[in-house]
Amino acid sequence: MTTSKREEMIFSIKNLKTHYPVLGGFFRKQIGTVKAVDDVTIDVRRGETLGIVGESGCGKSTLAKTMMLLEKPTEGKMLYDFNGEQKDVTKLNAGDVFDFRSRVQMVFQDPYSSLNPSKRIIESFDEPLRVHGYKNPAERKQRIIESLRMVNLSEDYLYRFPHEFSGGQRQRISIARALCINPELIICDEPVSALDVSIQAQVLNLMKEIQKELNLTYVFIAHDLSVVQYMSDRVVVMYLGKIVEISEASNLHVNPLHPYTEALLSAVPVPVVNEGKSKRIPLTGDVPSPINRPSGCPFSNRCPKRMDICTQVEPPLQSYGEEDHQVACHLYTKPI
Amino acid sequence: MTMTTSAIEVKAKKTSLLKIRMKKMRSNKLATIGLLVCIGMTLLSVFAPFITSYDPAQMNLSNITQAPSAEHIFGTDKLGRDVFAQVLYGGRVSIYVGVLSALGGTIIGVLAGAIAGYFGGKIDSILLRFSEIFMTFPQLILVLVLVSLLGQGVNNLIIVFVITGWMTTFRLVRNEFLTVREETYVSVCRSFGIPTSSIIFKHMLPNTMSPIIVAFTVNVAGFILAEAGLSFLGLGVPVTTPTWGNIMNAAQSIDVVTNYWWLWLAPGIAISLFVLAINFLGDGLRDILDPKQ
């Protein structure tokens, strides 16, 4: 990665926390807190694909929704680069939020419910475009046709209903819809996890092509490490609302640092059995409840390399080896 | 040029959707019969003066309690009024009360339900408690209190029905909105920055339309029955205005029930037929309007 690219941050998330209260009892008092996203700091660089990976319930989707301003963060800053001017999007006025929404769009996980079943495709596109300043109906239609062409769909589909399409087609339509207002950054929340494997590859390649063509930045979320590695320049590994490792995608499978990353990598199926590393690292137990997280390192109760310090002190996220490789684990904590 | 062609295209596609629905309607026999009966009875009431030459208020004391004959096909009542004319003219008020009350209740129920279901939280709790207060209060007593406060009259009765009848639609719409709110397309709309009112009424409401329409038809039937019941008790529309319920008011004495069957059978059949027809229609519409089919 070149230095010039590194300097150009598009979206930096600083110490972001999204907590939900747990209400209980007759008077619905707060009896706990779900720390869905807890103290997450990420820099998204212009033009890159930042992968976020982790198992279900680790806070990936909440992070995505918070970044898209669909959930209110409890704490923290989210600085977005509005043509060179950094603004904290958690404190924007309504007009600037609208500007933000024209720059950042999201592709959601479920292609079946992301299109309104009672609206034709053209109607699903038309209102976003109108709201975002495309006043002329003919221009809007032209724009819709262009976006559909970008995802290899013909304009014959304009007047069809969503139920007439397959899952892969619907996801392509959703991508086209996110593209139609010309965003800079697209947050993809598990865009292919609901699709067949053969269709997954097709959609992923399409997304890569579009990225190159339009010079987009992606934040790509998935629970499948191989998909994330294929798509991303850098990978963030999350566990229980926290970042445990950030690495170059090309470096991650060669040199995983965190025991959790190692375990995840060992679970990726290999095409040829008995070739190279084939030893799995089985993890025992379940992900602890985010309401009642273990003290110290969140991974401590399942970690095969647990030490005494792990249950007492929470490891900070630090660089290890190269500057771009960060890990939160006591195995790599520099002695003070 | 492009604009006009696209407008024509949309129009063509729209009519094709209408055609599909018409076809579905025709293939659903019960719904078609229901629709025809509803329209037929409404038209008969509206064009009553052209169908019968009798005035429903015209008394003829030399001709009281006549059994049905060629001259008076539904007979005459205790004041010598023609029952057929009364049923025709009575339908006007009964259908008017039923449809308008249901419409009012549906509008209030949909507005409150959409707001409660979409926003949730405090607004939802307040509206829910509010509707529960109405629901737990004995309906008949509430109606009696309101009628005595507002006075008897067709429009006052409609107001009373709207005040006491919006809760079922409210609960239904609220529950539908709680479900639809979780659909991804609502998040998509929000992430595009589409205004909330547009999300609620243009994007979510069309997907909750079919249960609302069914509830509406059930309410029309219910209000027609309620009007008949209240008028029978002498609490609904003033007796001078003929309604289906008012005509049956005559059958309060056991003497009438046993000896003058045509006095209550004719309006009774009219009520049952209309209510049945509108229920069939509502049932059919639910299937026809479902976008997923």
Side-chain angles (χ1 to χ4, degrees):
Chain A
M1 189 157 300
T2 58
T3 36
S4 68
K5 221 175 179 181
R6 177 175 305 159
E7 276 157 11
E8 227 193 313
M9 301 295 178
I10 183 163
F11 202 3
S12 38
I13 314 288
K14 299 223 184 288
N15 304 96
L16 186 75
K17 292 181 182 176
T18 308
H19 294 177
Y20 299 103
V22 182
L23 303 176
F26 185 71
F27 293 106
R28 297 180 59 72
K29 270 194 276 185
Q30 185 168 350
I31 53 169
T33 309
V34 177
K35 296 182 176 175
V37 175
D38 199 25
D39 208 1
V40 163
T41 300
I42 306 175
D43 288 323
V44 185
R45 298 163 189 170
R46 196 176 284 276
E48 75 167 347
T49 300
L50 181 75
I52 299 178
V53 72
E55 58 196 296
S56 329
C58 73
K60 311 179 295 267
S61 285
T62 309
L63 177 61
K65 282 182 184 155
T66 312
M67 287 168 81
M68 193 66 238
L69 300 184
L70 295 175
E71 298 284 344
K72 252 194 147 57
T74 317
E75 242 184 85
K77 282 184 185 171
M78 297 197 285
L79 300 172
Y80 192 84
D81 178 45
F82 290 87
N83 299 340
E85 194 190 344
Q86 301 263 333
K87 288 186 196 166
D88 184 357
V89 295
T90 58
K91 297 188 182 83
L92 290 182
N93 60 35
D96 283 340
V97 166
F98 198 72
D99 186 17
F100 174 75
R101 293 196 187 287
S102 72
R103 291 162 185 269
V104 180
Q105 269 304 308
M106 186 157 170
V107 175
F108 291 84
Q109 180 172 7
D110 184 0
Y112 295 94
S113 82
S114 58
L115 294 167
N116 191 334
S118 65
K119 290 202 182 294
R120 295 164 196 284
I121 300 307
I122 187 167
E123 293 170 308
S124 279
F125 279 73
D126 204 51
E127 193 167 5
L129 280 169
R130 207 184 54 227
V131 168
H132 282 278
Y134 292 79
K135 296 288 176 224
N136 181 345
E139 187 194 354
R140 285 206 294 271
K141 194 181 173 196
Q142 196 50 43
R143 185 76 204 131
I144 299 168
I145 293 170
E146 277 168 27
S147 331
L148 283 178
R149 285 221 183 99
M150 226 172 310
V151 296
N152 303 333
L153 287 172
S154 97
E155 58 181 287
D156 302 342
Y157 295 146
L158 278 180
Y159 295 99
R160 300 239 180 125
F161 281 100
H163 66 84
E164 298 174 54
F165 296 98
S166 69
Q169 283 173 320
R170 288 186 202 204
Q171 200 58 299
R172 272 148 62 195
I173 293 169
S174 297
I175 293 169
R177 181 171 53 183
L179 291 172
C180 75
I181 58 166
N182 249 329
E184 306 166 322
L185 172 70
I186 295 188
I187 300 169
C188 313
D189 183 11
E190 308 212 23
V192 295
S193 63
L195 307 178
D196 282 351
V197 177
S198 56
I199 309 292
Q200 282 191 7
Q202 184 198 347
V203 172
L204 290 177
N205 287 329
L206 181 72
M207 289 179 75
K208 274 196 153 181
E209 276 169 37
I210 293 170
Q211 180 178 32
K212 214 179 276 173
E213 203 174 315
L214 301 176
N215 205 10
L216 291 169
T217 309
Y218 284 154
V219 172
F220 191 94
I221 294 170
H223 58 249
D224 185 340
L225 197 57
S226 52
V227 168
V228 165
Q229 276 196 305
Y230 177 71
M231 289 299 287
S232 319
D233 299 311
R234 290 189 305 143
V235 177
V236 173
V237 182
M238 277 183 79
Y239 184 81
L240 216 60
K242 288 194 175 286
I243 295 177
V244 295
E245 186 164 358
I246 304 178
S247 165
E248 300 266 323
S250 52
N251 194 22
L252 190 70
H253 68 281
V254 187
N255 185 21
L257 294 178
H258 200 282
Y260 179 63
T261 318
E262 282 177 15
L264 274 187
L265 278 166
S266 76
V268 174
V270 284
V272 184
V273 186
N274 294 333
E275 188 186 275
K277 54 119 200 166
S278 61
K279 198 169 158 263
R280 282 213 176 174
I281 306 169
L283 288 181
T284 52
D286 279 323
V287 186
S289 153
I291 304 173
N292 192 8
R293 50 171 75 234
S295 59
C297 171
F299 190 55
S300 58
N301 67 331
R302 297 169 80 193
C303 184
K305 297 177 180 169
R306 182 177 54 225
M307 300 176 292
D308 285 342
I309 188 176
C310 295
T311 52
Q312 292 150 15
V313 183
E314 197 176 310
L317 192 66
Q318 291 181 331
S319 294
Y320 185 81
E322 305 132 81
E323 203 198 326
D324 257 348
H325 202 161
Q326 290 177 295
V327 64
C329 180
H330 284 300
L331 288 172
Y332 310 98
T333 313
K334 288 164 200 152
I336 305 157
Chain B
M1 180 65 198
T2 359
M3 250 184 79
T4 44
T5 41
S6 79
I8 291 163
E9 265 176 62
V10 173
K11 215 174 178 184
K13 303 283 176 179
K14 282 255 161 72
T15 36
S16 82
L17 184 70
L18 194 69
K19 263 185 195 160
I20 293 168
R21 288 195 169 149
M22 297 271 274
K23 207 174 155 195
K24 271 191 192 167
M25 183 81 198
R26 274 197 297 273
S27 64
N28 190 332
K29 289 221 170 60
L30 228 45
T32 316
I33 293 171
L35 180 69
L36 291 178
V37 171
C38 282
I39 293 176
M41 289 181 78
T42 311
L43 288 179
L44 281 176
S45 297
V46 171
F47 295 108
F50 301 102
I51 293 155
T52 174
S53 53
Y54 291 103
D55 179 348
Q58 181 66 51
M59 291 183 271
N60 183 356
L61 293 179
S62 63
N63 211 6
I64 59 167
T65 57
Q66 295 284 311
S69 60
E71 208 174 326
H72 299 284
I73 53 172
F74 287 173
T76 61
D77 70 359
K78 283 182 158 177
L79 297 170
R81 295 176 295 196
D82 182 59
V83 176
F84 181 62
Q86 284 198 312
V87 170
L88 285 182
Y89 282 93
R92 286 182 173 182
V93 181
S94 287
I95 295 171
Y96 175 77
V97 168
V99 171
L100 236 63
S101 308
L103 206 63
T106 304
I107 289 170
I108 293 179
V110 166
L111 281 175
I115 288 167
Y118 182 80
F119 292 104
K122 283 223 168 67
I123 302 174
D124 181 35
S125 310
I126 292 168
L127 284 169
L128 205 57
R129 292 297 99 77
F130 197 63
S131 79
E132 275 163 4
I133 292 171
F134 275 94
M135 281 180 127
T136 48
F137 204 80
Q139 189 120 11
L140 193 61
I141 296 174
L142 191 62
V143 172
L144 292 184
V145 169
L146 285 170
V147 167
S148 59
L149 277 178
L150 295 169
Q152 283 196 339
V154 175
N155 291 327
N156 285 351
L157 195 67
I158 292 172
I159 293 170
V160 169
F161 281 159
V162 169
I163 292 173
T164 59
W166 58 276
M167 292 86 70
T168 41
T169 313
F170 163 75
R171 297 215 141 207
L172 182 98
V173 174
R174 173 187 170 266
N175 291 347
E176 285 287 322
F177 265 73
L178 283 177
T179 321
V180 173
R181 187 176 68 170
E182 302 302 320
E183 299 273 329
T184 312
Y185 63 82
V186 177
S187 299
V188 172
C189 288
R190 287 177 59 208
S191 57
F192 272 116
I194 291 173
T196 309
S197 60
S198 171
I199 295 179
I200 292 178
F201 295 111
K202 276 166 73 181
H203 295 265
M204 294 169 78
L205 194 59
N207 291 311
T208 59
M209 236 21 220
S210 52
I212 294 173
I213 285 170
V214 177
F216 172 77
T217 57
V218 170
N219 279 343
V220 170
F223 288 134
I224 287 176
L225 289 174
E227 182 275 322
L230 284 176
S231 297
F232 178 80
L233 295 173
L235 296 163
V237 181
V239 258
T240 44
T241 320
T243 73
W244 288 338
N246 267 345
I247 307 167
M248 284 175 72
N249 194 331
Q252 274 180 344
S253 74
I254 203 80
D255 172 49
V256 173
V257 176
T258 44
N259 296 328
Y260 310 112
W261 51 267
W262 59 91
L263 286 186
W264 50 268
L265 197 62
I269 287 175
I271 293 171
S272 305
L273 200 63
F274 194 83
V275 167
L276 202 63
I278 207 154
N279 275 323
F280 282 156
L281 177 64
D283 243 17
L285 281 178
R286 177 179 43 204
D287 301 337
I288 292 157
L289 295 178
D290 190 352
K292 282 164 204 141
Q293 286 192 354

